Amino acid sequence: MCAKRRRFAVAILVTTAFVPAAQAQRPGQGRSFAQWDKIQISVTAKLAPNLYILQGSPDLDTNHPDAAGGRVAVLFGPDGILMVDSQDEELHEKVLKTIRTFSSAPIRILVNSHIHSDHTGGDPFFAKQGALIFSREELRDEMLHPPRRGNATPAPAPDPAGVPVVTYPLARRVLPL
């Protein structure tokens, strides 16, 4: 593996480690959430000169009191931007606007940490901007074939633009470098 690809693989692993997986119900998932216009996306952590964490406003979502929706990791450099997660569908423009405060580089890669819509909702928007979406094989399969919940009707088909195009298997064991 060439050095550039090895650095890229390490970057994906490092950035996904900083985006915690939320397990609680989230806005738009089984309940109404009418405060989208009040949510502001901001940089909440600068982990390195080119690695930032973005998140939504605190105290607007009782299921996520620290920040509405999920978190987004943004790694940027001269070749473009690698994002981990894309926030809610209703917030994609705010996420992009926040990213543009520190980088005008193209968003090249978007990695999904897990299936919740506060982590994958903005995927179609960013894919249409040119991002290549990566995910675990199981996440892509669940996007394409969402499970039924009780007697509920099946979930609507996803926007094809937001379906990951590159998949990788779930790591069984992490080996030291």
Side-chain angles (χ1 to χ4, degrees):
M1 180 184 295
C2 73
K4 188 173 184 178
R5 287 188 181 177
R6 189 171 33 256
R7 283 193 309 270
F8 171 74
V10 170
I12 288 176
L13 293 173
V14 168
T15 54
T16 56
F18 288 108
V19 181
Q23 298 301 319
Q25 188 181 31
R26 46 138 340 279
Q29 193 177 49
R31 66 181 178 87
S32 174
F33 189 76
Q35 299 187 50
W36 296 114
D37 58 327
K38 294 181 182 177
I39 296 173
Q40 298 301 313
I41 303 296
S42 60
V43 174
T44 58
K46 186 175 178 181
L47 304 175
N50 65 337
L51 178 59
Y52 294 176
I53 300 295
L54 314 179
Q55 67 185 46
S57 306
D59 302 323
L60 291 178
D61 179 3
T62 56
N63 289 314
H64 295 98
D66 60 332
R71 290 175 178 83
V72 176
V74 180
L75 177 68
F76 59 98
D79 294 332
I81 294 173
L82 180 147
M83 291 174 57
V84 177
D85 292 337
S86 62
Q87 262 285 0
D88 292 287
E89 177 182 2
E90 297 83 354
L91 300 173
H92 62 260
E93 289 179 3
K94 292 180 180 185
V95 170
L96 181 59
K97 185 178 177 182
T98 302
I99 291 170
R100 293 298 175 231
T101 65
F102 55 82
S103 177
S104 61
I107 298 169
R108 302 250 189 238
I109 297 171
L110 171 58
V111 181
N112 292 143
S113 67
H114 67 286
I115 192 72
H116 292 159
S117 60
D118 59 332
H119 297 265
T120 61
D123 287 8
F125 173 80
F126 289 105
K128 290 171 186 173
Q129 304 296 312
L132 189 63
I133 303 175
F134 285 64
S135 78
R136 286 188 345 270
E137 294 164 350
E138 298 83 2
L139 189 151
R140 183 178 194 279
D141 289 344
E142 190 171 342
M143 281 183 154
L144 292 172
H145 310 288
R148 287 181 180 239
R149 300 193 192 272
N151 291 331
T153 58
D159 181 335
V163 175
V165 295
V166 180
T167 62
Y168 51 91
L170 179 63
R172 301 288 182 222
R173 185 173 143 198
V174 177
L175 300 174
L177 296 177

